[in-house]
Amino acid sequence: MVAIGTVGLGGPGALGGGALIGEIDEAGAPRPPAGRRWQRPPAWRLVILVIAFLFYAFPFAAAVKYSLVQSDGSFGFNNYSQIVSDGAVRDSLYTSLEISAIAAVAVVLLMLPTVVLVRLRLPRLTLLLEGVTILPLVVPPIVLASGLAHLQGSAPEWLVKLWFNHPLTGLTPTYVVLAMPFSYRAIDTGVRAIDLRTLVDASRSLGASWFMTLTRVILPNVETAVLGAIFLTVALCMGEVVLSSIMLYNNVLPVEMIQVGASSPGVSVAISILALVFVFVLLFSLSFLARRRRGSTSVRVI
Amino acid sequence: MIRFEGVQRHYGSVAALAGLDLEIADGELVALLGPSGCGKTTALRILGGFDHPTAGRLLVDGRDITGVPANKRDMGMVFQAYSLFPNMDVRNNVAFGLRMRRQDKASRLQRADELLELVGLVEHADRYPHQLSGGQQQRVAIARALAIEPKVLLLDEPLSALDARVRAQLRVEIRNLQQRLGITTLFVTHDQSEALSMADRVGVMQSGRLEQLDTPENVYRHPATAFAAEFVGAMNRLPGRMGDAGDVQVLGQRLSVLNPDGREPGAPVQALLRPEAVSVVRDTAGAGEVTQRTFLGASVRLEVVLDGGQKVLVEASSHDVGVEVGTRVGLRILADAVVVASPGVAPDPEATPVVA
Ligand SMILES: Nc1ncnc2c1ncn2[C@@H]1O[C@H](COP(=O)(O)OP(=O)(O)OP(=O)(O)O)[C@@H](O)[C@H]1O
Ligand SMILES: [Mg+2]
């Protein structure tokens, strides 16, 4: 359960980490001597930095150390190699990655055109859309879970076969819905930050179809926002445990980790560390992509 | 040839366009001039295909294009807001239209460079929009619109965000380019000197309607309506009375009226007179006194207050006028035909005479 908690919090925790890294950059950058009033802030910034660093680093270091203790008491990478050798864990990791990828693509395909359409043509629906997309946060997940479980139990057999038999079809649509509060807001913020109408009109008058306008003009200019939405969706898919266990999908990573954690806690901690590292890598590639863009006028979501 | 036929556009109860009829000949530059909110942008957006009329139709060379989507209209547009794609460098911005037409990379980039040459920005081809000044961005936008060799060029106040010097320069550049390429152009502006100096014909708009469409000279000299008269150039309003034969009596002179509109003989009206259509003569028994004198270089602008309190602006060549403030003068009207307005109708606040 501890491990799950770590993975589940990977998103927000990583966000905090990102902000911190920003701080380091700023404090560490060579600053032109700006006079005496600059002497104090670095001092107390440094204190906060150290505290924050310890706050994040200490549990992480402890977890790393714990994951390196092998069942015979010696140090080594046994727990990590078990992840790879344990077929069930490996399969569940693949399944979860597949779910994440499909959900992320679906979120972008669904949300970007919707947001653009509403901003351009149906501004009156903005409020409705904001209300609808926040629902997954307002309705407790347990309600959604029991609803789905009920459907699972009472649906005709062909539907169960088609929809619920595999976590890929059973969970992905649910995660797309669960990710809506974040994905909609991330993309909407990005689209608000550009002069959508003018860019679309310019693109259209130059002969671009709607598809071209969306992929060649809008998407590159809200790239960071879309990456943010993808990131949040992936974090959700890699950490969600309530729905998947209620719907009895045991072969996805988070649920698998609970099971492994019961028998060999070292392995489950190792998995959670890998998940955390994965999230960090995702975050850094995001920041990197955002910085690479020379014409970076788009909004930084993270 | 482009034709607006009774084009209307309503937003709820607001009529942005209330029946616009307009014809633009091939290779002509027509400027739409009017106060803010009169429907200029709406007219342009409808022609560009970004907005659709609630009534009426649009014809290009006799073909109805009312339902044709924007990307099939072959019209290059330059927007009031900066509209370059931030994610592309200048060269790729200009080449975008050709890319959408599936032209191969080498030839479209070469064409883009040619167009950048035309607007004098080749050396900035590798920059991104945010690295350019406002004037440069608009020049790139013009190059981008021209790259697709459009049938029609649409310009929506492309110069309004620029400072006066750049604006004057770009004005000339755009006009030269337009004439050189012979491209049919609809230009929207609320700056009368821009419209008068650039256009083949000027359309004065008010409340979604065209008040007058004529050459800049005629719009200035023979305004069709009081609104057109007062929106373009500075204007005096002098009280007068309609005569028997469609004429008007002002300051003791008899002038013919351009817009009698069935006014009764004897009806009180206000005659609209340009400052340069009035002259002063030194006369101790004259009707007014010079209260202000502004030297403008080639001309002198005088403010004369008549004994009744009426103010009259007079603009005269600085060679002829030797009057000082405080001199008593008589007024002579040089024009022989004027536009009249009904008294009591306050001039449109948007149309306060601009002293150019
Ligand atoms: N999307 C819209 N919804 C409602 N009303 C609109 C919309 N667009 C324009 N209008 C109204 O239509 C009228 C004409 O607008 P338009 O933009 O054509 O004016 P304009 O002549 O271009 O003014 P400006 O010189 O300020 O740009 C205005 O009264 C405006 O409020
Ligand atoms: Mg406008």
Side-chain angles (χ1 to χ4, degrees):
Chain A
M1 209 53 213
V2 175
I4 304 304
T6 320
V7 179
L9 286 172
L15 291 181
L20 256 181
I21 288 150
E23 283 285 299
I24 294 170
D25 277 347
E26 210 181 316
R31 198 197 307 276
R36 262 163 243 132
R37 64 210 155 91
W38 280 109
Q39 277 172 1
R40 259 180 78 100
W44 69 263
R45 270 191 203 184
L46 205 69
V47 172
I48 292 181
L49 251 165
V50 169
I51 293 173
F53 178 75
L54 288 178
F55 184 81
Y56 285 101
F58 193 70
F60 188 72
V64 170
K65 176 171 175 272
Y66 184 77
S67 72
L68 290 173
V69 176
Q70 302 175 14
S71 43
D72 58 1
S74 63
F75 283 96
F77 288 97
N78 245 354
N79 288 328
Y80 289 90
S81 54
Q82 262 190 44
I83 299 175
V84 189
S85 59
D86 186 327
V89 171
R90 209 176 47 213
D91 287 349
S92 71
L93 176 67
Y94 286 156
T95 308
S96 281
L97 284 178
E98 272 169 7
I99 291 178
S100 304
I102 297 173
V105 171
V107 157
V108 176
L109 287 185
L110 186 72
M111 277 302 161
L112 188 60
T114 309
V115 168
V116 168
L117 182 75
V118 168
R119 289 246 150 254
L120 277 185
R121 292 280 163 86
L122 307 161
R124 275 184 231 167
L125 292 190
T126 309
L127 212 61
L128 180 74
L129 204 67
E130 280 184 356
V132 169
T133 54
I134 203 92
L135 276 182
L137 278 187
V138 179
V139 178
I142 201 76
V143 174
L144 189 63
S146 69
L148 276 168
H150 186 71
L151 185 63
Q152 213 173 0
S154 62
E157 199 175 334
W158 61 267
L159 186 64
V160 171
K161 255 194 195 145
L162 198 71
W163 187 0
F164 293 114
N165 263 6
H166 194 275
L168 219 55
T169 47
L171 281 176
T172 313
T174 320
Y175 287 167
V176 170
V177 171
L178 278 186
M180 272 192 334
F182 319 109
S183 59
Y184 169 74
R185 261 148 207 88
I187 291 178
D188 190 49
T189 312
V191 171
R192 262 174 216 252
I194 62 174
D195 187 351
L196 183 67
R197 167 141 289 141
T198 307
L199 290 184
V200 166
D201 284 356
S203 157
R204 298 278 293 157
S205 78
L206 291 166
S209 61
W210 277 109
F211 178 76
M212 281 294 179
T213 303
L214 215 56
T215 53
R216 299 298 154 91
V217 174
I218 300 177
L219 188 60
N221 287 306
V222 297
E223 192 179 60
T224 331
V226 167
L227 285 173
I230 290 178
F231 167 69
L232 291 164
T233 308
V234 171
L236 177 94
C237 294
M238 298 300 283
E240 198 284 327
V241 72
V242 176
L243 271 173
S244 42
S245 52
I246 287 181
M247 290 170 78
L248 303 176
Y249 294 119
N250 296 330
N251 47 349
V252 291
L253 188 68
V255 180
E256 186 67 32
M257 265 162 52
I258 301 181
Q259 287 160 355
V260 174
S263 57
S264 42
V267 176
S268 110
V269 172
I271 297 174
S272 75
I273 285 171
L274 285 186
L276 209 63
V277 168
F278 173 71
V279 163
F280 265 107
V281 168
L282 208 63
L283 178 75
F284 275 115
S285 45
L286 251 179
S287 288
F288 173 74
L289 275 169
R291 241 164 260 181
R292 187 209 55 179
R293 295 171 38 75
R294 273 173 286 180
S296 190
T297 46
S298 57
V299 114
R300 296 273 309 266
V301 173
I302 293 171
Chain B
M1 193 177 70
I2 296 166
R3 244 174 94 151
F4 286 76
E5 268 186 16
V7 171
Q8 298 186 18
R9 179 64 170 103
H10 295 269
Y11 293 107
S13 59
V14 182
L17 284 183
L20 179 68
D21 293 292
L22 174 63
E23 257 188 41
I24 308 172
D26 287 338
E28 190 183 31
L29 192 156
V30 168
L32 286 183
L33 178 65
S36 188
C38 70
K40 306 181 297 285
T41 297
T42 307
L44 208 63
R45 286 177 55 83
I46 284 179
L47 182 53
F50 311 120
D51 201 344
H52 297 284
T54 29
R57 46 184 211 149
L58 275 172
L59 304 173
V60 172
D61 298 331
R63 197 167 64 91
D64 189 336
I65 61 155
T66 318
V68 177
N71 60 330
K72 300 270 192 278
R73 285 209 182 176
D74 221 13
M75 297 192 182
M77 175 137 176
V78 179
F79 299 83
Q80 181 167 3
Y82 297 135
S83 62
L84 297 184
F85 305 128
N87 58 312
M88 299 174 203
D89 64 20
V90 164
R91 183 180 286 119
N92 279 297
N93 259 287
V94 177
F96 184 83
L98 299 175
R99 183 166 155 210
M100 292 304 116
R101 283 165 175 68
R102 304 222 161 76
Q103 208 176 90
D104 67 281
K105 190 161 181 168
S107 75
R108 71 175 187 244
L109 291 184
Q110 193 198 335
R111 179 84 186 117
D113 281 352
E114 284 167 26
L115 280 149
L116 286 171
E117 182 94 54
L118 203 64
V119 297
L121 283 175
V122 242
E123 68 276 23
H124 294 331
D126 296 317
R127 294 211 191 170
Y128 279 79
H130 71 107
Q131 296 168 320
L132 299 178
S133 73
Q136 290 169 337
Q137 288 194 41
Q138 289 305 64
R139 269 163 35 202
V140 175
I142 291 166
R144 182 177 69 176
L146 290 175
I148 57 172
E149 292 172 21
K151 278 204 286 280
V152 182
L153 187 61
L154 307 175
L155 305 167
D156 187 4
E157 308 198 28
L159 310 179
S160 66
L162 310 175
D163 71 64
R165 269 178 67 102
V166 182
R167 187 150 60 183
Q169 183 196 344
L170 271 183
R171 228 184 248 177
V172 178
E173 281 179 30
I174 292 179
R175 178 59 165 161
N176 284 344
L177 214 58
Q178 184 266 335
Q179 283 180 323
R180 191 138 46 100
L181 304 175
I183 187 166
T184 312
T185 304
L186 185 59
F187 186 103
V188 156
T189 177
H190 61 247
D191 180 335
Q192 45 139 331
S193 60
E194 205 160 281
L196 293 178
S197 64
M198 288 175 71
D200 292 309
R201 285 190 301 159
V202 175
V204 182
M205 283 185 73
Q206 188 200 9
S207 316
R209 250 182 249 282
L210 205 54
E211 293 266 313
Q212 183 174 14
L213 178 68
D214 214 330
T215 61
E217 285 217 17
N218 281 344
V219 167
Y220 189 80
R221 285 192 209 293
H222 307 292
T225 64
F227 176 83
E230 285 186 293
F231 191 75
V232 182
M235 199 52 101
N236 286 304
R237 275 179 170 252
L238 297 178
R241 208 164 269 284
M242 292 297 287
D244 300 328
D247 56 350
V248 63
Q249 248 183 335
V250 191
L251 297 176
Q253 278 178 260
R254 199 173 278 276
L255 312 167
S256 68
V257 171
L258 288 167
N259 59 337
D261 295 347
R263 286 189 175 81
E264 298 287 322
V269 290
Q270 294 198 301
L272 305 178
L273 281 164
R274 302 264 179 226
E276 65 270 21
V278 185
S279 75
V280 292
V281 281
R282 228 179 242 278
D283 181 359
T284 43
E289 187 177 311
V290 177
T291 54
Q292 251 180 44
R293 181 176 190 277
T294 315
F295 182 65
L296 300 173
S299 63
V300 174
R301 184 161 292 220
L302 304 171
E303 188 186 84
V304 176
V305 175
L306 302 183
D307 294 336
Q310 170 84 33
K311 277 184 192 160
V312 184
L313 284 179
V314 178
E315 193 162 324
S317 161
S318 48
H319 280 295
D320 311 340
V321 182
V323 292
E324 296 303 322
V325 171
T327 318
R328 281 211 72 87
V329 290
L331 293 180
R332 256 192 67 77
I333 296 168
L334 305 175
D336 40 36
V338 292
V339 172
V340 296
S342 300
V345 182
D348 191 302
E350 288 284 349
T352 22
V354 183
V355 179

